Structures are given as C-alpha cells and as structure tokens.
Amino acid sequence: MISKVLVANRGEIALRVILACKEMGLKTVAVHSEADRDALHVRYADDDVCIGPAPSRQSYLSISSIIAAAEITGADAIHPGYGFLAENPHFAEIAGECRLTFIGPTPEAIRLMGDKAKAREMAKKAGVPILPGSEGPVKTYADALEVSRQIGFPVILKAAAGGGGRGMRICASEGDLLGAFDTARSEADRAFGSADVYVEKYLERPRHIEIQVFGDTQGRIVSLGERECTIQRRHQKLIEESPSPALTHEMRKRMGEAAIQLCQAVNYVNAGTIEFLFQDGQFYFMEMNTRIQVEHPVTEEVTGIDLVKEQIRVASGLPLTVPNGDFRLRGHAMEFRINAEDPMTFAPHPGRIREFNLPGGPGVRVDTAAYRDYVIPPHYDSLIAKLIVHGADRAESIARGRRALDLFIIEGVKTSIPLHRAILDDPRFISGEISTRYMEEFEW
C-alpha cells in the first residue's frame, strides 16, 4: 500500500490531491518553484522541496528534479495531477524504474492515446465511431488536400500530439488549406516537439461531451457518466456540467459502452476521459485524456465518488469501489472556471489578490489554492478557483450558480466571474440549446 505521495504539480489540483491523501492517512510531499514558495499546497504538505526557478521548464517539467525530490523525502508514489508531466509517458516510465508508484495509467496507454492519430486508429479498430479523416498524419500539403477533397470541406487540421487548441486550424475551403497546413505544423512543432498533423471532417455546430472512465488492475473498467464541456473559448473550457441536457439515458449508455470498448482495447487502468463530438443524434470519438481532468469535481458531485481517492486505491492495486449495475447520476452539477483574466478579451491578469471571499450555502463547493494577499504569478495557468454547484436538477443548479457567483468576491485582479454570471442569464444557455460556437455568438 502507498504510504507517502509526492504531488508533481501546483495550485488547486496539488492541494486537492494533498487533502485526499490526508483523509486516507497518507503522508505527502509538495514540490514547488521559487515563485510558489508561499503556495497553499506547500503549506499543507508534510514535506516540501523547491525544484527550481519560476519557469516551468526548469521546475515543474524537470523530471530529474522531481524524482530526486521523491528520493530524498522517502516518497513511494507520485501523483502527476493534470497538465505539466501528467500525460508524459517518459515520466511515468522513469517513476516505475525508480520503484515509485505512478498514480495514473501505464506509460504504454499514455503513449498510445496521447498520439491523436494513433488514438483515432485504435478507436476505429475498437468499433468506436470516428469522424471521416486521414488514416494517420499527413506529411505534405498535397496529401492534406487529397484527404480534404475526399471527405469534403470544411475540415480541421489537428496536431497529432496536441491539446488545448494548439496546432489546430479550421479550413472552410481549399483556399484556406495551404497557409493553415504550414501554420498548424509549425505551431504543433513548437508546442509539442512534433509537426505531425492529421485531417478530420469539421462539424460546424457540435456539442463537446466527454465520458469519465475508470479502470482497475483486476481488469474492470466502468463509465461514470458524461460531462458536457461545450461552453469554450479558444478550445479552452469555461463551464462544464453533468448530466448533459442533450443526452437521453439510452444515449448516455451507448456513449459509455463505446468509451469502455476503447479502454478495454488498450488495457486502461486508473482515471481517464474519452472526449466525443455530438451532433444530430450521433457521437464521434475525438481524443482521450489519460489523467484526472480539471472538471473532475462535476462527476464527483453527481456520483458521490471521490475520484482522487479512487486513483490512489487503484494505483495501490485495490479494486474499484464503484458498484455494479446500470449507473445513474444524482441531480445536476456545474463547474465554473474562475480565471485571472479580462472577461472581455481573455488576456491574463496576474497580480495580488486584495480581497477574497468565497461563496457558501447548500450545493456549493469551491476548489482553490488562492487566498487574500496571494500573488498570482504570471508564469502558469490563470486558473484561480473552480466553483462547483450541485442541485436536484439543472434549473436548481443554474440558480445556485447565480447565487454563488454573486457572492464570490475577488478584488485586485480581473476575473471571469462577470462572464459566467452573464452566461447564466442567457436564454440560449438556460434552454440548453448550445454548440461549440456558443462563445463566438455570445453578446453581453
């Protein structure tokens, strides 16, 4: 059994893991950059180690520094959180070679599903619906053009090793393709160290729905329902909810079964997420995230399952605690990402938090590592907090979201709170009739 966990991350997810470990009676180690010396995850851990200067490449992305921190503190397990090294198969391999339990999937699964082109191929072999597109990466413009003509415009170019919208370009016609192909490859190479891109049919008004999956070392894999992540800007999620207002129980079951089929094909263990596009009653595999998600609290609220504790149990070799049978969600939950950014332009807005008052009351949860007088550094993601609300149904969830946002006070930096509040009053959002183009068309 794991006894001491090093959390190879920062911010709210590092604190979230540390608190779960404390409830389980496990010791913890926080690693931090020089910019995060006063961070809450450092204060709450049993041990802490500075692993480098502020730039993430010299600290949170330094595998050797993290492994050394585990060795000198006597940690026997590593939780990668999300971002940074969470989906780096080499990191998972090195941890295993150093006899550290990696709290996540196997390096093989991370490597296979981290390559989007290979993941598409695997999904196709497993019988999971995929959008028409190239069989693998397209190496030349001529190849991209040939595939695009076969499947028909509009198409989208995607970085094979990508994520977060980088290395991604939408092409409405042949005229868009030439410049977009070179730009996508160049951006993919800079961001991920691989210029490979593939071509896929572009759906113009889909919804983005993901299935939370979990597998254990005994071979059991379960689906824990969906999260709707359609409200995005620049391919970054803003609001997530579960259940999706677009899915029937039967469709949820079908999507869950498809997600399990894919996980079985790669012998998947631990937490993961299968992302689908959904349009006109059909769903299509998009990608898999081989880690815990930012929005995992949404699933926790509608299932009553602590996903981080489940990760640690499964990594220890224990079976899943999820009951057998047809899984039904309890009530409705939403998560609002509160970012330190201008709500109109989305430009980052780091700085000192002068006032910080959290909302409370029935059905309200806030996951954060921020506090009054905390300085949000400019070096990392702009996330300040995640506001999660839970109600008996979607209407109550929206009402609780309004109440909580009205009571959420952050002064000293600009935040996305006003944007979230405006979205909750928009008739289109209230009706649930949305698509991934929602933010392009949103006016306030």
Side-chain angles (χ1 to χ4, degrees):
M1 180 66 184
I2 292 168
S3 62
K4 193 171 190 177
V5 178
L6 182 144
V7 185
N9 217 295
R10 65 177 300 278
E12 66 84 20
I13 187 59
L15 185 60
R16 167 77 180 87
V17 175
I18 288 168
L19 297 180
C21 289
K22 284 186 177 291
E23 290 185 19
M24 299 177 75
L26 305 178
K27 297 291 185 181
T28 55
V29 180
V31 294
H32 64 90
S33 69
E34 292 172 357
D36 278 337
R37 287 188 184 278
D38 297 323
L40 280 187
H41 78 283
V42 177
R43 297 187 189 183
Y44 279 91
D46 296 291
D47 288 320
D48 63 270
V49 180
C50 182
I51 54 172
S56 57
R57 287 193 177 276
Q58 300 175 54
S59 51
Y60 296 107
L61 292 173
S62 174
I63 294 176
S64 60
S65 298
I66 292 170
I67 296 297
E71 291 178 345
I72 65 175
T73 56
D76 56 2
I78 291 180
H79 194 301
Y82 54 71
F84 294 127
L85 295 168
E87 293 180 283
N88 185 313
H90 181 59
F91 180 48
E93 283 175 339
I94 294 295
E97 290 171 3
C98 294
R99 298 184 180 180
L100 294 164
T101 299
F102 185 76
I103 303 176
T106 63
E108 294 76 19
I110 297 173
R111 183 172 287 110
L112 179 59
M113 302 313 290
D115 184 312
K116 289 185 171 60
K118 290 181 180 177
R120 268 176 54 89
E121 293 175 23
M122 184 60 67
K124 185 177 180 180
K125 290 178 182 177
V128 178
I130 63 171
L131 285 165
S134 57
E135 291 297 321
V138 285
K139 299 298 184 181
T140 67
Y141 165 72
D143 292 339
L145 180 60
E146 182 181 354
V147 173
S148 299
R149 285 173 172 171
Q150 288 174 356
I151 64 178
F153 287 90
V155 300
I156 186 167
L157 299 172
K158 290 183 177 181
R166 289 172 293 180
M168 186 180 293
R169 290 294 184 276
I170 298 167
C171 304
S173 65
E174 290 187 15
D176 297 334
L177 188 64
L178 179 57
F181 181 74
D182 292 335
T183 302
R185 281 178 56 84
S186 176
E187 189 174 294
D189 191 35
R190 289 196 308 272
F192 311 111
S194 169
D196 284 348
V197 297
Y198 63 97
V199 182
E200 193 174 77
K201 180 69 177 177
Y202 177 67
L203 298 182
E204 299 196 66
R205 305 193 73 84
R207 302 175 83 107
H208 185 162
I209 297 174
E210 59 188 29
I211 300 293
Q212 176 70 60
V213 291
F214 223 116
D216 63 21
T217 54
Q218 285 73 38
R220 185 174 176 225
I221 300 172
V222 299
S223 162
L224 299 177
E226 84 279 8
R227 294 183 294 258
E228 168 122 19
C229 307
T230 298
I231 305 295
Q232 304 178 16
R233 52 96 178 137
R234 300 173 188 164
H235 305 288
Q236 297 290 326
K237 299 166 186 175
L238 291 174
I239 299 175
E240 299 96 356
E241 62 180 303
S242 183
S244 164
L247 296 192
T248 62
H249 179 66
E250 179 57 34
M251 180 57 71
R252 177 175 304 112
K253 187 175 180 181
R254 283 179 55 198
M255 292 178 76
E257 289 171 350
I260 290 172
Q261 283 175 227
L262 181 53
C263 290
Q264 289 172 334
V266 295
N267 299 313
Y268 196 80
V269 174
N270 218 278
T273 301
I274 310 289
E275 303 203 7
F276 294 103
L277 292 177
F278 180 76
Q279 182 175 295
D280 301 326
Q282 299 294 321
F283 62 90
Y284 307 93
F285 170 76
M286 184 168 60
E287 64 184 33
M288 182 176 190
N289 294 311
T290 55
R291 53 171 166 79
I292 196 76
Q293 294 276 91
V294 178
E295 58 272 22
H296 76 271
V298 174
T299 297
E300 291 183 329
E301 293 300 314
V302 293
T303 62
I305 297 168
D306 187 318
L307 296 181
V308 175
K309 286 185 181 178
E310 204 73 15
Q311 280 193 291
I312 296 168
R313 292 191 191 100
V314 165
S316 300
L318 299 174
L320 283 165
T321 63
V322 180
N324 289 311
D326 192 12
F327 201 86
R328 289 187 178 269
L329 306 178
R330 311 180 312 171
H332 191 281
M334 290 185 177
E335 177 180 291
F336 307 90
R337 298 194 190 189
I338 311 301
N339 298 321
E341 59 188 24
D342 187 305
M344 300 296 292
T345 66
F346 303 117
H349 202 271
R352 185 179 298 276
I353 296 175
R354 301 296 182 184
E355 292 292 337
F356 194 67
N357 292 301
L358 302 181
V364 174
R365 164 182 171 180
V366 180
D367 283 15
T368 184
Y371 52 87
R372 184 179 179 181
D373 283 332
Y374 173 66
V375 177
I376 300 169
H379 315 286
Y380 315 115
D381 185 84
S382 63
L383 182 68
I384 301 174
K386 302 185 306 195
L387 169 64
I388 305 101
V389 295
H390 182 255
D393 52 29
R394 192 169 188 267
E396 185 171 63
S397 188
I398 290 174
R400 286 180 168 171
R402 292 192 186 109
R403 166 171 62 82
L405 289 165
D406 287 343
L407 293 173
F408 208 143
I409 299 173
I410 303 176
E411 296 180 0
V413 296
K414 294 181 179 180
T415 77
S416 55
I417 290 176
L419 173 61
H420 288 304
R421 190 62 184 81
I423 290 173
L424 289 189
D425 285 337
D426 181 28
R428 289 185 305 147
F429 179 79
I430 294 170
S431 70
E433 296 298 322
I434 57 177
S435 76
T436 53
R437 299 185 64 182
Y438 176 86
M439 288 304 299
E440 298 174 29
E441 302 162 350
F442 180 69
E443 296 180 0
W444 64 301

